[in-house]
């Protein structure tokens, strides 16, 4: 029965509010991204995941066109993919790590992905995030598990200027966080509304 249901974005109905943001703060949803939690504690195992090597430096990520691998802990990564389904990604990763005692679990339904861009993107994030987001500190390729407006997120820095970020947030907090981001961006609107 579940396979017959159409997926529904947690932000369905928010498109008109999101599209009203100014150019200096652009917010969009990247819905239905496959996400798999990958765990492996096998020293020396570093097979690439969909052509992307596992990041071994804390709080970083690596990516290709469709796949992103985010370091979450010494033996844990979150693998996202915009082309494959969560089921297919999980099967591929499980086949790669199971012989080495690893595990792969599809967690696609757990989170949705937001993209925050623009010259004031960092200013908006700074209103609710305690990390130092200056591009000299939170550089391109940085990833952090943190809170934004009291919601747990995974934050990725996508560029060197601090103007492009990806935010992975639990689906149950997506509407709350989107509304918070919209409110935090009000001061950057030309008319302040």
């Amino acid at each position: 029965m579940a396979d017959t249901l159409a997926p529904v974005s947690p932000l369905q109905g928010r498109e008109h509010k999101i599209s009203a943001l100014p150019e200096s703060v652009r917010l969009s949803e990247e819905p239905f991204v496959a996400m798999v939690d990958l765990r492996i504690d096998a020293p020396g195992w570093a097979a690439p995941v969909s052509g992307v090597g596992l990041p071994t430096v804390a709080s970083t990520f690596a990516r290709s066109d469709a796949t992103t691998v985010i370091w979450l802990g010494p033996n844990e990564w979150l693998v996202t993919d915009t082309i494959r389904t969560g089921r297919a990604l999980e099967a591929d990763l499980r086949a790669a790590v199971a012989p080495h005692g690893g595990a792969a679990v599809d967690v696609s339904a757990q989170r949705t992905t937001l993209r925050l861009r623009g010259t004031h993107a960092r200013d908006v994030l700074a209103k609710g995030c305690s990390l130092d987001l200056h591009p000299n500190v939170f550089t391109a390729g940085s990833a952090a598990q943190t809170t934004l407006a009291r919601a747990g997120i995974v934050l990725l820095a996508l560029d060197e200027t601090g103007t492009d970020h990806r935010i992975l947030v639990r689906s149950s907090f997506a509407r709350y966080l989107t509304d918070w981001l919209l409110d935090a961006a009000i001061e950057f609107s030309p008319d302040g509304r």
Side-chain angles (χ1 to χ4, degrees), residues 7-97:
V8 176
S9 161
L11 297 180
Q12 184 175 359
R14 294 285 198 276
E15 299 87 2
H16 66 285
K17 290 181 179 182
I18 292 171
S19 65
L21 284 171
E23 285 299 316
S24 64
V25 183
R26 302 303 305 160
L27 180 65
S28 60
E29 182 185 20
E30 298 172 346
F32 315 119
V33 173
M35 297 185 193
V36 171
D37 188 62
L38 178 69
R39 289 180 180 258
I40 183 164
D41 191 14
W45 188 90
V49 174
S50 300
V52 179
L54 292 177
T56 56
V57 175
S59 303
T60 63
F61 69 93
R63 67 181 175 163
S64 66
D65 291 337
T67 304
T68 302
V69 183
I70 306 163
W71 187 95
L72 295 181
N75 64 355
E76 181 181 9
W77 296 265
L78 181 65
V79 182
T80 70
D81 195 293
T82 57
I83 295 175
R84 289 182 285 178
T85 66
R87 214 179 258 179
L89 182 60
E90 177 188 43
D92 291 348
L93 293 173
R94 181 173 286 142
V97 300

